[in-house]
Each structure stands twice: as structure tokens, then as C-alpha cells.
Amino acid sequence: MFAGVKVLDLSRGVAGPLTSMMLAEFGADVIFVEHPRSKDESRVWPPFKGGLSAYYATNNRSKRTIAVDMKRPEGLEVILDLARGADVVMQNFTPGAADRLGVGYEAIRAINPRVIYHSVSGYGQTGPDRGKRGYDPVLQAGSGFMSITGEKGRTPVKSMAPVADVSTGIYGFAAIQGALYYRERTGEGQHIDLAMFDIMVSMLSVIGSRYLLTGKVPERHGTENPQRVPSAAFKCADGVYLQAVPGQRQWPDFCRLLGHPEWIEDERFATPYARVAHEEVLYPLVHEAMLAKPAAQWRQEFDDHAIVCGPINDLKAVFEHPQTIARGMIQSYEAPGVGEMPALNLPWKMSKTPPSIRRPPPRFGEHTVEILKEIGRTDEAISALIQAGVVADMVPHAQVGPAQ
């Protein structure tokens, strides 16, 4: 889908690298930039296999890499030469830092007017918090996301999955696709200013809209959905929890299966609005009724009556699930010096342009010489840059695991 698109990725962490990994697995040539001495910090984050960090590998497979010190004049010249030929330039520096380094939007646009320049930051390029650094847990907290996550009457809960990072990566992927399409139609590039804070606020979705309409600050509801009752995790006779969401059309069958047909005509429970208004009465009744049978029996009976339900799986159950396997969500690739590495697949199933893992995550400095030659550097010039420490070539055991 993106064959022929060149991406220069100056970002690090999760959000930016996740975006560029998705572009790479749809065919873009992504060059990932690291510092020749400090390297990308995610290379040393556990767990490891053969010195290869799973954290680093998850977000950086299918790319090429170059190690260059852009604070050195010769290094900056390399970056600018790469930017001249790039369709997309990405960075996630704190606002203002890219300009000071000489790789801000105006500097890149001056040498490449058609460039799509993708800036990712915690709080955006404008506003009173623009200079603050943003990390996933802080953004989950500050956006209100944590305030609505957790059990009633308990402390706020952070999602273990890095929701702010991953959603920013996905939104970035969408924004770059849109910008590429716009450029195809108009010939014009543009600056994408993507703030993790903005994304997390946007993801409040109907909960945020509900507050804007009513002015009522929502409370935490655990597994319950305060706008759709009953919808929660219910403990069954065998101690297993089942998340059940009966809709209005299934409500009569749900009541009969639970042994309470009288609820069907009970004016407190007869309509979705009535059930929401009387949730404090209804939920204890449903919880008690669900204790009558084991989860597997409930699931079969609910499935037979088209009542939506599902178990709360741990990750072992998820990755052994026939649906996960059938959908090809678990992939693997061979990493040099490491062997077979398992990987999560991207979720898009496309009949003409499916994504695929194009290459293993690059070893440190693996493509430095190759990339420098592509922008016209001679062997002598490359050797001089390496000797001066401006760039770094691949070193032995270059996965840079914990021993390094």
C-alpha cells in the first residue's frame, strides 16, 4: 500500500515508533534514527531473548536503522540529506527542541516543500502545557481516563496496556495516511501536530459528551456500563466471571433464563431507560441469579438466545484461543543471532494490500553504511564519520541487550 513511500523517523518510545512500524508493514521504507552512543533506550527494556528486547522489537520491526549524532554538524547534514528525499518526517521531541536541533518543520519544509511532517508530543505544539513532557500513565491520569476507570468507591486505576501510547500510534497512522492522500490530490505537504493529551480527551467519546451535556462528573463503575443496564461481569456458580450485555430485544429471554420472567413486565426494568434509573435495584438481583449456574452453562444458554456474553480471559487464554489463531494474530520472524521471535500481528485484514512483517527489528547501526551510500557518501567519507563518532556502524552482539 505504501510501497515507494520514504519515512524518516526521529521518534523514540512507543507512540511514534508504533506509527512508523505500521507504515513499514504496509510497505513504506522506514529509516529509524538512533544516537551512536546512547542508542534507543527501549533496546535495554526487558524481557529479552538472545539480547533482543521484546519491547524494542514490538515497535521497530520491518524498519531500517541509522545511528547518527544530529547535534554534530556533519550528523545534521546527514539527517537533512535524508529529509530531502523523505515523504514523511516524524519526531516526538518536546516542542521547541526540534527547532533548536535544526530539524523543525520550517527547516525541513525549506528543503522539502512536499514533506509531511509528523510531530508527536504530550500536549501539542500550542497551549500552556506545550513544554511539558508526557508519558502514558501521566496522560491517562490527566485526561480523565483514570478517573472513570476502576471499581465503585475505590481508587482510580491505570490501564496496564499503554492506552495513550498505542492510541497515539494508531491516530498518527491515520493522520499520515490522510496527509499522503491530500498530497496526492493537491501536491501539498503539511504539518501534523498530534498531542497525546488531545487523543486521550477525544477517546472519552460518549462519556465526555455525556458530561458536556449534563455537567455531571461520572463516577467509576468497574465492569458496569452506566448507560446500558445490565452490562457487567457477573460471578457464576463455579467462581468464573462472565461479562454479559443483554440488549432490549434479548431482555425477555434473559429474564426467563435467569428464572425471573416477572422482570419483563416490571415497569422498573421494562425499558433501557428504566433499567438505568433503577440500576441500584436491578444489579444485586442479577448478580444473585447468575450464581445459580456455572459459566459454561450460562454461555451456552446465552449463545442459544443471541445474548452477547464472554469470559474474562487472561493472556494465556487469549493466545491459545481458536479465534486468535484463526485470525492470524500471532506471527513470528527470524532475528539474526536470536532465532524465532513471536510477534503480535497488525489487525487489518485487507484483500489487496495486507500488512506483513517485512524484516526483523534492526540491530544497532545495521544499515548505517547502506543508508549513507544511498545519499551519496563515499567509503572514505563514511569511514571518517565513523572514526569521528558522528555515526556508528553495526557492532558485534548488536542487539544491545542487558549485557551491553
Side-chain angles (χ1 to χ4, degrees):
M1 186 162 72
F2 293 124
V5 173
K6 295 183 178 181
V7 179
L8 178 62
D9 185 8
L10 308 178
S11 69
R12 60 193 63 199
V14 176
L18 176 59
T19 294
S20 62
M21 182 272 282
M22 290 190 283
L23 292 167
E25 299 204 342
F26 275 102
D29 178 17
V30 176
I31 296 175
F32 164 53
V33 178
E34 297 182 79
H35 193 278
R37 287 172 294 282
S38 60
K39 309 176 181 69
D40 186 90
E41 63 181 3
S42 70
R43 285 187 181 273
V44 296
W45 292 347
F48 300 94
K49 180 179 181 180
L52 174 61
S53 162
Y55 200 112
Y56 165 78
T58 296
N59 297 310
N60 289 292
R61 66 196 194 211
S62 299
K63 306 176 188 179
R64 297 193 292 163
T65 187
I66 182 172
V68 56
D69 184 354
M70 70 179 75
K71 291 184 178 180
R72 303 272 292 275
E74 305 96 321
L76 177 59
E77 185 179 351
V78 168
I79 295 298
L80 293 178
D81 281 349
L82 289 169
R84 283 187 179 90
D87 297 287
V88 180
V89 174
M90 301 174 56
Q91 57 89 358
N92 66 346
F93 299 113
T94 302
D99 292 327
R100 293 191 295 273
L101 289 168
V103 293
Y105 175 55
E106 294 302 331
I108 302 301
R109 186 175 67 163
I111 60 173
N112 184 355
R114 285 169 47 87
V115 74
I116 294 161
Y117 188 92
H118 183 65
S119 300
V120 178
S121 60
Y123 298 92
Q125 305 295 310
T126 59
D129 288 341
R130 66 182 295 271
K132 292 184 177 180
R133 301 180 72 180
Y135 291 101
D136 181 277
V138 175
L139 272 302
Q140 287 194 41
S143 65
F145 192 88
M146 281 173 59
S147 78
I148 57 174
T149 306
E151 295 295 330
K152 286 183 178 180
R154 304 289 292 275
T155 58
V157 173
K158 180 187 78 67
S159 168
M160 182 175 284
V163 179
D165 281 327
V166 173
S167 57
T168 300
I170 297 169
Y171 274 65
F173 179 62
I176 289 171
Q177 286 186 80
L180 286 168
Y181 180 67
Y182 178 80
R183 193 183 69 176
E184 183 71 19
R185 295 172 59 204
T186 68
E188 298 178 351
Q190 61 182 294
H191 183 194
I192 301 169
D193 171 11
L194 198 63
M196 296 173 70
F197 178 79
D198 296 354
I199 289 166
M200 291 302 289
V201 171
S202 175
M203 285 181 60
L204 294 174
S205 185
V206 295
I207 300 170
S209 297
R210 185 180 185 183
Y211 168 76
L212 292 174
L213 183 66
T214 66
K216 183 180 179 181
V217 176
E219 300 174 350
R220 289 180 285 283
H221 285 263
T223 63
E224 296 175 4
N225 181 348
Q227 299 178 99
R228 186 169 185 171
V229 177
S231 172
F234 299 101
K235 188 177 182 179
C236 304
D238 52 359
V240 175
Y241 283 83
L242 197 65
Q243 186 81 22
V245 188
Q248 180 61 18
R249 283 188 297 177
Q250 295 83 40
W251 178 244
D253 286 335
F254 183 75
C255 296
R256 294 186 191 101
L257 289 172
L258 265 63
H260 290 279
E262 71 277 8
W263 292 352
I264 299 171
E265 301 300 331
D266 191 319
E267 63 181 14
R268 298 172 300 172
F269 311 141
T271 67
Y273 181 82
R275 291 194 290 275
V276 169
H278 296 92
E279 64 172 343
E280 298 296 334
V281 177
L282 180 57
Y283 269 122
L285 297 174
V286 176
H287 279 288
E288 181 180 3
M290 290 291 292
L291 290 170
K293 301 174 186 178
Q297 184 175 348
W298 281 127
R299 287 188 66 188
Q300 186 61 60
E301 292 181 6
F302 288 167
D303 286 348
D304 290 344
H305 291 81
I307 297 169
V308 179
C309 70
I312 300 176
N313 290 326
D314 61 19
L315 294 197
K316 183 176 186 297
V318 170
F319 291 126
E320 293 177 352
H321 199 289
Q323 186 68 16
T324 306
I325 296 168
R327 295 291 290 174
M329 287 307 300
I330 305 170
Q331 298 288 307
S332 65
Y333 56 85
E334 288 291 322
V338 176
E340 186 177 17
M341 282 289 290
L344 292 177
N345 199 7
L346 293 179
W348 294 281
K349 307 295 188 285
M350 302 178 70
S351 62
K352 297 294 185 182
T353 57
S356 64
I357 299 174
R358 307 289 169 138
R359 62 173 80 219
R363 292 169 286 179
F364 175 69
E366 181 176 353
H367 305 101
T368 295
V369 172
E370 173 186 307
I371 292 167
L372 287 172
K373 287 184 176 181
E374 289 175 0
I375 56 174
R377 299 298 193 272
T378 64
D379 289 341
E380 293 77 11
I382 293 170
S383 179
L385 290 171
I386 293 172
Q387 291 298 317
V390 175
V391 303
D393 193 8
M394 189 169 71
V395 297
H397 311 295
Q399 296 296 357
V400 196
Q404 286 74 42

